[in-house]
Amino acid sequence: MSHRCSRNFWDRREFLFKSGGGISGLAVAYLLNRDNLLAAVPGSSDPCAAPAVGANPYAPKAPHFKPRATAVISLFMGGGWSQVDTFDPKPALSKYAGQPIDGKVKGDVIVRQGYPGPLMPSPFTFKKYGQSGIEVSEIFPHLSQHVDEIAFLRSVYGRSNDHVQGTYEMQTGQINLGFPSVGSWVTYGLGSTASSLPAYVVMTDSRGGPLGGPNDWSAGFMPAAFQGTLFRSTGDPIVDLKPQAGLTPEDQRARLDALAKLNEIDMQKFPGNSELSARISSYELAYRMQGCAPSAIDTTTESEATKKLYGLDNKTTEQFGRQCLMARRLVEHGVRFVQVFAGGVGNQNTDTWDAHGDLNTNHRQHAAETDLPTVGLLTDLKARGLLDNTLVVMHSEFGRMPISQRGVGRDHNPGTQTVLMFGAGIKGGQTIGASDEFGYKAEEQPVSYHDLHATMLHLLGLDHTKLTYRFNGRDMRLTDVYGTPIPQIVG
Amino acid sequence: MASAFDDPADVKNDLENRFLWRFRPQRLDAEIVRDSMLAVGGNINLALGGEPIFPNIPEDILAGQYRGKWENTPEGPAAWRRGVYVYQRRSLPYPMFDTFDHPDLNATAGARNVSTVPTQALTLLNNPFVLSQAKWLADRVRREASDPYSQVDAAYRIALARGATETEIGIGIDLIKKQSLESFTHVVLNLDEFLYMR
């Protein structure tokens, strides 16, 4: 899988030869596909249907073994959601309410911001749901109805109690900057079947991007082709997607045709150079993206029932619901990896799950925003037959402390968080691992972020030890030298 | 030019140039793509030293930023300085540079990647900076030549440092007649020959 020398990236494709012998092959392929391309002009009935022409950086690649899923939707609950107030009930917090945690757990208790208080019971009540009887907090009235379709990983631990480092670790496996994100690895390993869209799409909260910024979906040391493409929630989804004002598709086509003709003359001076031919294809993909991207995420064509399913009719759920619905549409169009961020750092304590202050209000609000849309996504994927081959992961950068901060909030805690996984044929109604008596640290079957990543790759048919990229003289891996797929998920 | 050393026997023996019998065309680095456009548009500001510049980033991207400054430098000579003077912000790489494989600002890079991705094409097709430099190039061409035939040739001489062939002139005239000289100079800024050193 590894590309030994990144500067020769395109040479390895030997695309010209495979497509029928040099320049003439490309020219023929180009001409044969002209009609399809013209059918893909922005505004025509299905601008996304045109097949890819020539070299495509996202050309589908075979997995290592038979995959359980072919697409991933990652729902990132920015800010750090509290396990003990959502999916990991801890009666001990009520039993020992008001008592210090010191002495009850091993080692020093480290908080991020400070003002540590005593053990604080959850302000929310938990009840058992479904056949499995998994307990869920009252703030998820919709998700709780579907516990039998969801796996709850109750012992996922990270290495940093800082938002940015925690986010990097969840996104790239490393707390340091500069490493490729999970979506980059997946796209590098599998390519994409979307011929008119980027392979890896990112959507951020309109209240602000996540802490860490574009590094959260960067390709790190890999070629830029594998970085996430940020689809903005307002205006054009991609920077520079829209042709200049007043330029008709026909006018633009004429420019592209002139460009292709002039470039083909130039290519004859460099027979066998696949990088130059790849440029011609990249223009065609760009042209198709102009038509396809806006329609792929256009939720106005959905039925009223579907919009309601995702909560588009309600101000609280509308934003995350729209992101989830867009994620489903993108997966339907063949996009490989969709990364959704819920919670944005406009005002960190209120706009994200970062409940240093009033946890009761904060978590009620963010659960209300995400609960119904997540169920909408689950239900809709299932109804469309997409759930079995789509992996949905719902997680945060870390969990929160079982002790209070200033009496009403909770500080950061990378010791344990609960991660939800569904789809991809994953057995629902199961809890995996367990945190300690207070929900402070992962205790039974601790799952590292590397383990989580190894599991995600495995479900996609990729062996995390074999998916490597040569950088600085080393075959780099998403999981470094660590990681074990979770048996209850991949078994 | 590498083509001066072309030998049919070499082409036959090593079409892909695996044994490096000729110079491999090298795509210009991100900063140089921008600098070259400024240069052929007649606008490049070669002043040395001083404060960094903040080339235009769309407002809705800036609005999503948590902290740190990026005040777009108004389009004009102040903004037309060379790419080395573009402010380097770790959390917000200038999108045009990012698209053209500017290394990640948070890690060391032994060499730059060279990728060929559709977002580069989108930038070169639709980015307002590129379109405005195409207009400047057209103005410059108009000052040198008045009929489409010599305009195509002049555009090639300015942008590619060589005259255009009859075939190229034919394709150029077609587009100028169908649309405008600005359309043609826009195409010129997208040419492989413009974007690659060879």
Side-chain angles (χ1 to χ4, degrees):
Chain A
M1 290 304 288
S2 65
H3 294 293
R4 296 283 158 184
C5 173
S6 54
R7 287 197 82 89
N8 286 335
F9 186 56
W10 282 108
D11 279 3
R12 299 178 67 87
R13 302 295 169 112
E14 299 180 354
F15 138 81
L16 280 176
F17 299 96
K18 286 178 184 157
S19 70
I23 298 298
S24 57
L26 177 76
V28 169
Y30 174 72
L31 291 170
L32 283 176
N33 279 290
R34 275 289 310 272
D35 290 349
N36 285 323
L37 292 169
L38 286 168
V41 292
S44 78
S45 58
D46 188 0
C48 302
V53 184
N56 173 354
Y58 313 125
K61 291 177 229 170
H64 298 140
F65 45 83
K66 192 168 179 293
R68 291 247 304 268
T70 53
V72 181
I73 299 173
S74 166
L75 307 174
F76 196 116
M77 303 294 111
W81 63 354
S82 169
Q83 65 287 0
V84 296
D85 301 296
T86 54
F87 307 107
D88 193 9
K90 293 294 166 187
L93 296 181
S94 302
K95 191 174 165 194
Y96 300 107
Q99 296 187 25
I101 191 172
D102 304 275
K104 292 191 178 60
V105 294
K106 275 183 239 155
D108 293 334
V109 174
I110 299 161
V111 293
R112 178 67 174 86
Q113 283 196 343
Y115 316 102
L119 291 164
M120 180 174 83
S122 176
F124 314 128
T125 55
F126 281 77
K127 267 201 324 210
K128 289 182 191 257
Y129 294 91
Q131 293 277 317
S132 55
I134 292 173
E135 287 182 82
V136 176
S137 149
E138 63 180 311
I139 59 177
F140 289 101
H142 301 284
L143 255 174
S144 54
Q145 304 303 316
H146 295 266
V147 290
D148 292 338
E149 295 162 87
I150 301 169
F152 295 82
L153 284 60
R154 281 181 172 166
S155 54
V156 182
Y157 70 96
R159 286 183 285 160
S160 173
N161 69 353
D162 183 84
H163 289 293
V164 176
Q165 273 63 51
T167 305
Y168 289 159
E169 195 195 352
M170 181 52 87
Q171 292 299 95
T172 72
Q174 303 292 336
I175 57 173
N176 296 328
L177 305 145
F179 291 87
S181 52
V182 183
S184 305
W185 282 102
V186 169
T187 312
Y188 163 65
L190 296 175
S192 162
T193 54
S195 61
S196 306
L197 287 170
Y200 172 16
V201 173
V202 181
M203 287 183 275
T204 58
D205 197 297
S206 66
R207 289 167 290 196
L211 282 165
N215 295 306
D216 297 342
W217 52 89
S218 117
F221 44 72
M222 285 185 190
F226 301 115
Q227 74 193 12
T229 301
L230 182 62
F231 271 29
R232 294 175 290 169
S233 51
T234 52
D236 302 324
I238 308 174
V239 182
D240 295 327
L241 180 70
K242 197 188 275 177
Q244 72 185 102
L247 189 73
T248 67
E250 292 72 26
D251 284 347
Q252 198 184 38
R253 188 70 247 172
R255 285 188 198 183
L256 283 171
D257 286 347
L259 176 66
K261 282 184 208 156
L262 293 170
N263 273 343
E264 278 179 38
I265 293 170
D266 185 56
M267 277 172 58
Q268 290 169 28
K269 297 173 199 159
F270 300 92
N273 187 310
S274 53
E275 193 175 319
L276 295 180
S277 63
R279 283 206 77 76
I280 292 192
S281 328
S282 79
Y283 274 90
E284 298 306 337
L285 181 51
Y287 182 72
R288 293 197 307 276
M289 272 167 63
Q290 289 178 162
C292 180
S295 77
I297 56 163
D298 179 11
T299 52
T300 56
T301 55
E302 296 285 341
S303 71
E304 286 310 309
T306 303
K307 287 183 196 163
K308 210 169 149 59
L309 189 64
Y310 285 87
L312 264 56
D313 57 342
N314 178 312
K315 207 161 176 282
T316 306
T317 47
E318 199 249 341
Q319 144 120 359
F320 189 65
R322 189 175 300 284
Q323 290 179 321
C324 286
L325 179 53
M326 280 163 65
R328 187 219 84 208
R329 289 183 64 93
L330 290 167
V331 165
E332 256 178 338
H333 278 85
V335 171
R336 187 69 73 185
F337 200 103
V338 183
Q339 177 71 62
V340 179
F341 287 95
V345 284
N347 181 337
Q348 205 177 320
N349 285 335
T350 54
D351 294 344
T352 73
W353 292 82
D354 197 18
H356 291 286
D358 180 0
L359 180 123
N360 190 334
T361 309
N362 174 288
H363 270 41
R364 272 188 200 283
Q365 178 202 327
H366 288 281
E369 288 174 6
T370 51
D371 178 33
L372 179 109
T374 307
V375 169
L377 178 65
L378 192 160
T379 313
D380 199 20
L381 286 173
K382 198 171 168 186
R384 287 164 192 269
L386 292 167
L387 189 61
D388 283 342
N389 48 27
T390 305
L391 166 66
V392 184
V393 188
M394 190 177 190
H395 57 77
S396 190
E397 64 264 47
F398 42 57
R400 303 201 82 82
M401 281 285 179
I403 56 173
S404 83
Q405 181 176 10
R406 288 197 177 97
V408 285
R410 295 192 195 276
D411 211 333
H412 306 171
N413 176 20
T416 188
Q417 70 162 304
T418 302
V419 170
L420 277 52
M421 288 180 115
F422 57 87
I426 293 170
K427 185 174 167 289
Q430 60 170 333
T431 59
I432 295 166
S435 59
D436 60 29
E437 189 184 5
F438 306 100
Y440 173 57
K441 275 193 187 333
E443 191 168 84
E444 186 189 305
Q445 197 188 344
V447 172
S448 71
Y449 293 1
H450 290 309
D451 297 334
L452 187 65
H453 294 155
T455 307
M456 292 170 73
L457 292 184
H458 189 98
L459 291 168
L460 293 162
L462 294 168
D463 179 340
H464 71 106
T465 64
K466 291 193 183 132
L467 184 67
T468 62
Y469 183 91
R470 173 64 58 116
F471 173 67
N472 278 358
R474 195 182 144 195
D475 285 334
M476 308 295 275
R477 279 167 37 188
L478 168 60
T479 51
D480 198 357
V481 295
Y482 309 100
T484 310
I486 303 164
Q488 297 98 313
I489 297 285
V490 301
Chain B
M1 262 180 63
S3 56
F5 303 98
D6 270 5
D7 180 335
D10 289 335
V11 175
K12 189 163 171 286
N13 289 331
D14 180 19
L15 181 64
E16 265 195 292
N17 194 27
R18 281 175 196 272
F19 297 102
L20 304 176
W21 57 272
R22 66 186 301 185
F23 185 77
R24 242 168 62 83
Q26 310 273 316
R27 203 203 68 219
L28 302 181
D29 286 342
E31 296 91 331
I32 306 173
V33 170
R34 179 177 171 277
D35 289 356
S36 303
M37 289 183 190
L38 287 168
V40 301
N43 291 319
I44 194 154
N45 175 354
L46 295 171
L48 295 175
E51 295 287 306
I53 55 161
F54 297 81
N56 190 65
I57 293 181
E59 285 299 333
D60 54 342
I61 294 184
L62 297 179
Q65 291 293 310
Y66 178 45
R67 50 163 89 99
K69 80 165 190 174
W70 192 288
E71 284 166 24
N72 287 328
T73 309
E75 201 59 24
W80 292 337
R81 305 195 62 192
R82 294 169 56 219
V84 292
Y85 293 109
V86 169
Y87 189 71
Q88 303 286 321
R89 187 173 144 188
R90 285 193 306 168
S91 62
L92 181 64
Y94 176 47
M96 184 179 188
F97 287 179
D98 195 34
T99 305
F100 280 95
D101 301 295
H102 191 285
D104 187 296
L105 291 163
N106 303 292
T108 57
R112 290 192 178 195
N113 285 315
V114 181
S115 63
T116 304
V117 290
T119 41
Q120 289 169 4
L122 286 174
T123 302
L124 293 170
L125 287 175
N126 301 332
N127 183 284
F129 168 81
V130 178
L131 290 165
S132 83
Q133 293 309 319
K135 278 205 175 67
W136 285 103
L137 174 57
D139 289 349
R140 194 174 163 191
V141 167
R142 248 184 228 108
R143 286 196 297 274
E144 293 190 13
S146 49
D147 63 287
Y149 185 100
S150 41
Q151 283 175 339
V152 173
D153 192 55
Y156 262 60
R157 282 182 194 284
I158 293 168
L160 308 178
R162 70 166 175 92
T165 65
E166 289 298 324
T167 319
E168 288 162 341
I169 288 174
I171 296 165
I173 291 176
D174 266 4
L175 188 64
I176 293 173
K177 283 189 173 155
K178 233 185 265 175
Q179 294 181 25
S180 64
L181 180 56
E182 281 76 5
S183 292
F184 177 68
T185 51
H186 183 207
V187 167
V188 168
L189 297 185
N190 278 267
L191 287 175
D192 282 347
E193 193 171 344
F194 182 70
L195 299 165
Y196 281 77
M197 185 169 67
R198 67 257 319 273

